[in-house]
Protein backbone atom coordinates (compact mmCIF):
# COMPACT_ATOMS: atom_id res chain seq x y z
CA UNK A 1 0.00 0.00 0.00
CA UNK A 2 1.39 3.38 -0.98
CA UNK A 3 1.53 6.13 1.58
CA UNK A 4 1.47 9.86 1.02
CA UNK A 5 3.88 12.62 1.92
CA UNK A 6 3.04 16.23 2.81
CA UNK A 7 2.09 17.36 -0.69
CA UNK A 8 0.11 14.18 -1.34
CA UNK A 9 -1.67 14.47 2.00
CA UNK A 10 -2.68 18.04 1.23
CA UNK A 11 -4.08 16.95 -2.13
CA UNK A 12 -5.90 13.96 -0.61
CA UNK A 13 -7.47 16.12 2.11
CA UNK A 14 -8.70 18.55 -0.53
CA UNK A 15 -10.30 15.64 -2.36
CA UNK A 16 -11.96 14.42 0.83
CA UNK A 17 -13.18 17.97 1.41
CA UNK A 18 -14.76 18.47 -2.00
CA UNK A 19 -16.06 14.92 -2.44
CA UNK A 20 -17.15 14.04 1.08
CA UNK A 21 -17.40 17.33 2.97
CA UNK A 22 -14.63 16.31 5.36
CA UNK A 23 -12.79 19.40 6.60
CA UNK A 24 -11.15 21.00 9.63
CA UNK A 25 -11.73 20.84 12.51
CA UNK A 26 -11.08 17.14 11.94
CA UNK A 27 -12.73 14.45 14.02
CA UNK A 28 -10.08 11.79 14.59
CA UNK A 29 -11.17 8.33 15.73
CA UNK A 30 -8.45 6.31 17.48
CA UNK A 31 -8.39 2.65 18.43
CA UNK A 32 -6.65 1.26 21.51
CA UNK A 33 -3.75 -0.27 19.59
CA UNK A 34 -2.94 3.05 17.94
CA UNK A 35 -2.96 4.85 21.30
CA UNK A 36 -0.80 2.14 22.90
CA UNK A 37 1.65 2.34 19.99
CA UNK A 38 1.89 6.12 20.41
CA UNK A 39 2.71 5.65 24.10
CA UNK A 40 5.32 3.01 23.27
CA UNK A 41 6.99 5.15 20.59
CA UNK A 42 6.67 8.35 22.65
CA UNK A 43 4.52 10.02 19.99
CA UNK A 44 2.49 13.02 21.16
CA UNK A 45 -0.95 12.29 19.69
CA UNK A 46 -2.28 15.84 19.93
CA UNK A 47 0.76 17.47 18.38
CA UNK A 48 1.79 14.90 15.76
CA UNK A 49 -1.62 14.02 14.35
CA UNK A 50 -2.69 17.65 13.97
CA UNK A 51 0.66 18.56 12.40
CA UNK A 52 0.36 15.61 10.03
CA UNK A 53 -3.11 16.76 9.00
CA UNK A 54 -1.59 20.23 8.49
CA UNK A 55 -3.82 22.02 11.00
CA UNK A 56 -3.42 23.57 14.45
CA UNK A 57 -3.82 21.28 17.50
CA UNK A 58 -7.14 22.89 18.40
CA UNK A 59 -8.47 21.95 14.95
CA UNK A 60 -8.45 18.24 15.82
CA UNK A 61 -11.06 16.59 18.02
CA UNK A 62 -10.03 13.15 19.25
CA UNK A 63 -12.50 10.33 19.80
CA UNK A 64 -12.19 6.77 21.02
CA UNK A 65 -14.81 3.98 20.84
CA UNK A 66 -16.22 2.87 24.17
CA UNK A 67 -15.20 -0.67 23.24
CA UNK A 68 -11.56 0.48 22.98
CA UNK A 69 -11.73 1.97 26.49
CA UNK A 70 -13.10 -1.31 27.82
CA UNK A 71 -10.38 -3.26 26.02
CA UNK A 72 -7.59 -1.09 27.46
CA UNK A 73 -9.10 -1.34 30.94
CA UNK A 74 -9.21 -5.14 30.75
CA UNK A 75 -5.54 -5.34 29.73
CA UNK A 76 -4.65 -3.67 33.03
CA UNK A 77 -1.15 -2.53 33.94
CA UNK A 78 0.30 -3.18 30.46
CA UNK A 79 -1.87 -0.45 28.95
CA UNK A 80 -2.30 1.79 31.98
CA UNK A 81 -0.84 4.89 30.30
CA UNK A 82 -2.74 4.24 27.07
CA UNK A 83 -5.98 3.90 29.04
CA UNK A 84 -5.31 7.15 30.88
CA UNK A 85 -4.71 8.96 27.58
CA UNK A 86 -7.76 7.36 25.95
CA UNK A 87 -9.97 8.58 28.81
CA UNK A 88 -8.99 12.17 27.96
CA UNK A 89 -10.64 11.83 24.55
CA UNK A 90 -14.32 12.05 23.69
CA UNK A 91 -16.23 8.78 23.46
CA UNK A 92 -17.68 7.82 20.08
CA UNK A 93 -20.71 5.60 20.54
CA UNK A 94 -21.73 2.92 18.07
CA UNK A 95 -25.40 3.79 18.21
CA UNK A 96 -27.22 6.64 16.51
CA UNK A 97 -27.13 9.80 18.61
CA UNK A 98 -30.92 10.09 18.35
CA UNK A 99 -31.43 6.68 19.89
CA UNK A 100 -31.06 5.62 23.50
CA UNK A 101 -28.34 3.17 24.34
CA UNK A 102 -29.31 -0.23 25.60
CA UNK A 103 -27.23 -0.50 28.76
CA UNK A 104 -27.50 -4.27 28.72
CA UNK A 105 -25.57 -4.55 25.45
CA UNK A 106 -22.55 -6.78 25.71
CA UNK A 107 -19.08 -5.37 24.98
CA UNK A 108 -18.33 -5.61 21.28
CA UNK A 109 -15.17 -6.12 19.29
CA UNK A 110 -13.28 -2.83 18.78
CA UNK A 111 -12.89 -3.31 15.02
CA UNK A 112 -16.59 -4.08 14.68
CA UNK A 113 -17.43 -1.06 16.84
CA UNK A 114 -15.38 1.25 14.62
CA UNK A 115 -17.05 -0.15 11.50
CA UNK A 116 -20.45 0.54 13.05
CA UNK A 117 -19.41 4.08 13.95
CA UNK A 118 -18.22 4.72 10.39
CA UNK A 119 -21.24 3.07 8.80
CA UNK A 120 -21.73 2.86 5.04
CA UNK A 121 -20.75 6.44 4.16
CA UNK A 122 -18.82 7.86 7.13
CA UNK A 123 -21.62 10.34 7.74
CA UNK A 124 -19.94 11.53 10.94
CA UNK A 125 -16.80 12.52 8.97
CA UNK A 126 -14.13 10.69 10.96
CA UNK A 127 -10.45 10.35 10.18
CA UNK A 128 -9.56 6.87 11.45
CA UNK A 129 -6.24 6.00 13.11
CA UNK A 130 -5.79 2.28 13.61
CA UNK A 131 -3.02 -0.30 13.70
CA UNK A 132 -5.36 -3.10 12.59
CA UNK A 133 -4.54 -4.07 9.00
CA UNK A 134 -7.78 -5.98 8.46
CA UNK A 135 -9.82 -3.07 9.78
CA UNK A 136 -8.10 -0.69 7.37
CA UNK A 137 -8.86 -3.07 4.51
CA UNK A 138 -12.52 -3.12 5.50
CA UNK A 139 -12.71 0.66 5.83
CA UNK A 140 -11.13 1.16 2.42
CA UNK A 141 -14.34 -0.27 1.00
CA UNK A 142 -16.26 2.62 2.58
CA UNK A 143 -16.14 5.89 0.62
CA UNK A 144 -14.82 8.98 2.35
CA UNK A 145 -12.68 7.46 5.12
CA UNK A 146 -9.14 8.86 5.54
CA UNK A 147 -6.91 6.23 7.16
CA UNK A 148 -3.77 6.67 9.23
CA UNK A 149 -1.51 4.36 11.19
CA UNK A 150 1.84 4.38 12.93
CA UNK A 151 4.90 2.71 11.42
CA UNK A 152 7.32 2.64 14.35
CA UNK A 153 7.36 6.34 15.23
CA UNK A 154 6.30 7.60 11.79
CA UNK A 155 2.70 8.49 10.98
CA UNK A 156 1.46 7.13 7.67
CA UNK A 157 -1.47 8.45 5.64
CA UNK A 158 -2.83 5.86 3.22
CA UNK A 159 -3.57 6.85 -0.34
CA UNK A 160 -7.18 7.65 -1.19
CA UNK A 161 -9.24 4.48 -1.69
CA UNK A 162 -10.95 3.29 -4.87
CA UNK A 163 -14.29 3.53 -3.07
CA UNK A 164 -13.74 7.26 -2.54
CA UNK A 165 -12.49 7.82 -6.07
CA UNK A 166 -15.63 6.09 -7.34
CA UNK A 167 -17.59 9.11 -6.07
CA UNK A 168 -15.78 11.22 -8.66
CA UNK A 169 -16.69 8.82 -11.44
CA UNK A 170 -20.34 8.77 -10.36
CA UNK A 171 -20.47 12.56 -10.36
CA UNK A 172 -18.83 12.69 -13.78
CA UNK A 173 -21.40 10.23 -15.15
CA UNK A 174 -24.24 12.22 -13.61
CA UNK A 175 -22.91 15.44 -15.13
CA UNK A 176 -22.44 13.77 -18.51
CA UNK A 177 -26.04 12.57 -18.44
CA UNK A 178 -27.21 16.18 -18.13
CA UNK A 179 -25.36 17.31 -21.27
CA UNK A 180 -27.02 17.45 -24.66
CA UNK A 181 -25.45 16.01 -27.82
CA UNK A 182 -23.63 19.22 -28.82
CA UNK A 183 -22.20 19.75 -25.33
CA UNK A 184 -20.97 16.15 -25.19
CA UNK A 185 -19.30 16.57 -28.58
CA UNK A 186 -17.57 19.76 -27.42
CA UNK A 187 -16.41 18.06 -24.23
CA UNK A 188 -15.00 15.10 -26.15
CA UNK A 189 -13.21 17.49 -28.51
CA UNK A 190 -11.68 19.34 -25.57
CA UNK A 191 -10.51 16.06 -24.04
CA UNK A 192 -8.97 15.01 -27.38
CA UNK A 193 -7.19 18.36 -27.65
CA UNK A 194 -5.83 18.00 -24.12
CA UNK A 195 -4.55 14.50 -24.90
CA UNK A 196 -2.86 15.79 -28.07
CA UNK A 197 -1.21 18.60 -26.11
CA UNK A 198 -0.02 16.13 -23.48
CA UNK A 199 1.44 13.85 -26.16
CA UNK A 200 3.17 16.80 -27.82
CA UNK A 201 4.61 17.96 -24.50
CA UNK A 202 5.81 14.43 -23.73
CA UNK A 203 7.49 14.16 -27.13
CA UNK A 204 9.26 17.47 -26.59
CA UNK A 205 10.41 16.33 -23.17
CA UNK A 206 11.80 13.09 -24.60
CA UNK A 207 13.58 14.95 -27.38
CA UNK A 208 15.28 17.20 -24.85
CA UNK A 209 16.41 14.21 -22.83
CA UNK A 210 18.03 12.47 -25.80
CA UNK A 211 21.78 12.39 -25.69
CA UNK A 212 23.25 14.90 -28.10
CA UNK A 213 26.57 14.73 -29.85
CA UNK A 214 29.52 16.73 -28.55
CA UNK A 215 29.84 20.37 -29.45
CA UNK A 216 32.09 20.45 -32.52
CA UNK A 217 33.75 23.64 -31.29
CA UNK A 218 34.75 22.00 -28.04
CA UNK A 219 36.19 18.89 -29.65
CA UNK A 220 39.92 18.88 -29.85
CA UNK A 221 41.04 18.53 -33.40
CA UNK A 222 43.44 15.70 -34.14
CA UNK A 223 46.97 16.86 -34.72
CA UNK A 224 49.14 15.20 -37.31
CA UNK A 225 52.52 14.65 -35.78
CA UNK A 226 55.40 15.30 -38.11
CA UNK A 227 57.63 12.32 -38.38
CA UNK A 228 61.20 13.07 -39.22
CA UNK A 229 62.41 11.07 -42.14
CA UNK A 230 65.52 9.14 -41.46
CA UNK A 231 68.51 10.10 -43.49
CA UNK A 232 69.81 7.42 -45.72
CA UNK A 233 73.32 6.29 -45.00
CA UNK A 234 75.68 6.42 -47.94
Amino acid sequence: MRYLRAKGIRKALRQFHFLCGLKAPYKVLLDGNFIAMCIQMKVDVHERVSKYLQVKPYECEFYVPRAALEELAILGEATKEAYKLAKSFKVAETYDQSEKKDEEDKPVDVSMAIQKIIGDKNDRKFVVCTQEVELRKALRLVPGVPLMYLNRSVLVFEEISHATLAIVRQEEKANMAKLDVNEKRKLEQMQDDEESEDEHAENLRLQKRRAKGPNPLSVKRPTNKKVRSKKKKH
Side-chain angles (χ1 to χ4, degrees), residues 74-121:
I74 291 171
L75 293 173
E77 192 66 27
T79 56
K80 183 178 179 180
E81 289 185 49
Y83 177 66
K84 183 179 179 181
L85 178 60
K87 283 185 69 177
S88 68
F89 302 141
K90 297 179 181 179
V91 177
E93 303 289 0
T94 57
Y95 61 91
D96 191 321
Q97 296 296 327
S98 62
E99 298 176 359
K100 292 182 179 180
K101 183 183 178 185
D102 183 0
E103 295 181 354
E104 296 180 357
D105 282 348
K106 296 179 180 179
V108 293
D109 177 76
V110 177
S111 295
M112 188 61 67
I114 291 177
Q115 290 183 63
K116 287 183 178 179
I117 291 169
I118 297 301
D120 297 330
K121 298 179 181 179

Side-chain angles (χ1 to χ4, degrees), residues 165 199 232:
L165 292 175
E199 289 179 4
K232 294 181 180 180

